[in-house]
Amino acid sequence: MNHFQPIFKRPQWIFFDLDDTLWDFAANSLKSLRHVFDNFHEVSDKFNSFDDFIRVYHTHNARMWNLHAQGMVTSGFLKTERWRLTLFPESAPAASTEFCSVVNSAYLENLAMQSAIADHAAEVLALISKESMVGIISNGFTDTQYKKLFNSGLWRFVARTIISDEIGIQKPDSRIFDYAIRETGASSLPVMVGDNPDTDIMGALKAGWKAIWFNPSGKRFPYDDSTMDSDGIDPTRFLGTAKNMKEVYEILSGLQH
């Protein structure tokens, strides 16, 4: 990528989601779930296979995160309840809390040590950070997210990290994007790059930002121009879809600030 030229005429803030955008959450989480399965017989004894375990866990984890995004459960409840539903579905919510907390800690500690990142993420961030300010806006647990940044080496390129758990506001709530502007002094329509079309992209667009959808699987963007118009969004602020970090850089290269 050495043939790429600096992309900005003046400094600008580019914010990235962390999980499944820069940091390969799917691969890293799988390794950490394997760690839990292999090291807790109370987990492995309840399932016929590792595949059965992760299928059940992912179902309950996704449900808990959805409730958390709606403000219906706290992060503390989420951490243990996803494991209770996976391991002790017949018990009351308060039951087995201590063991679920132990398993959750083991999972998160191992997860934070993993370092797989998206292809070309480091070199693209290195290029961007030479001409603009790089920020992170992430829905996640404070301590774990900071450790992910450190252990992956991505921290070297990041000027400001904003984590939902730290400030009590989650994407797509426009207040987290407003907070980012206040904290950084970002102007000229900051850009948000993320993998989630609802929390990252529509959240940023509704807050008045520009956005790039990081979409390695090549899915169709679920919102058309008319939908964005009806939400008061200028469709031209949606800068497009990128299948990889190189394409993110190419889209950013075309911006005229």
Side-chain angles (χ1 to χ4, degrees):
M1 297 180 63
N2 293 332
H3 64 284
F4 289 149
Q5 298 299 313
I7 60 178
F8 299 114
K9 294 181 178 180
R10 57 190 175 89
Q12 168 67 312
W13 277 91
I14 310 298
F15 290 89
F16 288 82
D17 173 54
L18 184 58
D19 293 336
D20 284 326
T21 300
L22 294 174
W23 194 81
D24 193 342
F25 182 86
N28 291 326
S29 178
L30 191 64
K31 292 178 183 177
S32 298
L33 289 171
R34 184 84 233 187
H35 170 78
V36 168
F37 189 81
D38 290 344
N39 286 277
F40 290 90
H41 70 84
E42 298 93 336
V43 176
S44 57
D45 288 351
K46 290 181 178 291
F47 299 93
N48 293 324
S49 66
F50 176 63
D51 287 344
D52 284 344
F53 161 60
I54 59 173
R55 176 181 53 79
V56 174
Y57 170 81
H58 282 152
T59 297
H60 295 304
N61 183 56
R63 175 173 170 249
M64 283 295 104
W65 274 107
N66 184 50
L67 292 174
H68 184 48
Q70 298 175 54
M72 298 177 66
V73 301
T74 65
S75 59
F77 183 78
L78 181 157
K79 289 177 181 179
T80 55
E81 183 67 0
R82 59 184 176 181
W83 294 105
R84 185 194 69 81
L85 291 169
T86 299
L87 302 173
F88 310 104
E90 303 303 321
S91 67
S96 308
T97 299
E98 183 175 352
F99 177 73
C100 290
S101 180
V102 170
V103 173
N104 183 71
S105 294
Y107 167 73
L108 290 180
E109 287 170 8
N110 188 273
L111 184 68
M113 293 190 302
Q114 304 301 326
S115 59
I117 59 177
D119 289 345
H120 306 291
E123 57 190 298
V124 165
L125 287 190
L127 287 167
I128 294 172
S129 65
K130 291 177 181 177
E131 295 294 326
S132 62
M133 307 296 285
V134 174
I136 298 290
I137 302 179
S138 173
N139 285 354
F141 304 129
T142 304
D143 186 56
T144 303
Q145 299 304 81
Y146 280 116
K147 286 179 179 177
K148 290 174 183 177
L149 280 171
F150 180 79
N151 290 326
S152 65
L154 293 174
W155 65 271
R156 294 173 294 164
F157 315 111
V158 177
R160 185 68 168 87
T161 300
I162 295 168
I163 300 173
S164 63
D165 193 42
E166 197 167 33
I167 64 171
I169 308 169
Q170 291 194 89
K171 297 176 292 183
D173 192 322
S174 62
R175 292 177 300 165
I176 196 169
F177 298 99
D178 295 341
Y179 178 89
I181 290 177
R182 290 196 306 272
E183 287 293 300
T184 63
S187 60
S188 301
L189 294 179
V191 179
M192 180 71 200
V193 181
D195 70 292
N196 190 306
D198 298 306
T199 58
D200 296 320
I201 306 310
M202 291 299 284
L205 292 173
K206 287 179 180 179
W209 292 30
K210 297 176 183 177
I212 298 170
W213 187 27
F214 182 69
N215 177 29
S217 59
K219 296 178 182 177
R220 180 179 176 274
F221 189 63
Y223 302 100
D224 57 22
D225 286 359
S226 62
T227 301
M228 287 189 270
D229 279 331
S230 67
D231 283 333
I233 297 169
D234 176 359
T236 64
R237 287 193 279 108
F238 176 54
L239 303 178
T241 298
K243 290 185 178 180
N244 52 58
M245 281 295 150
K246 286 185 176 181
E247 291 188 3
V248 169
Y249 189 89
E250 289 166 0
I251 292 172
L252 291 171
S253 298
L255 291 180
Q256 298 295 319
H257 297 301

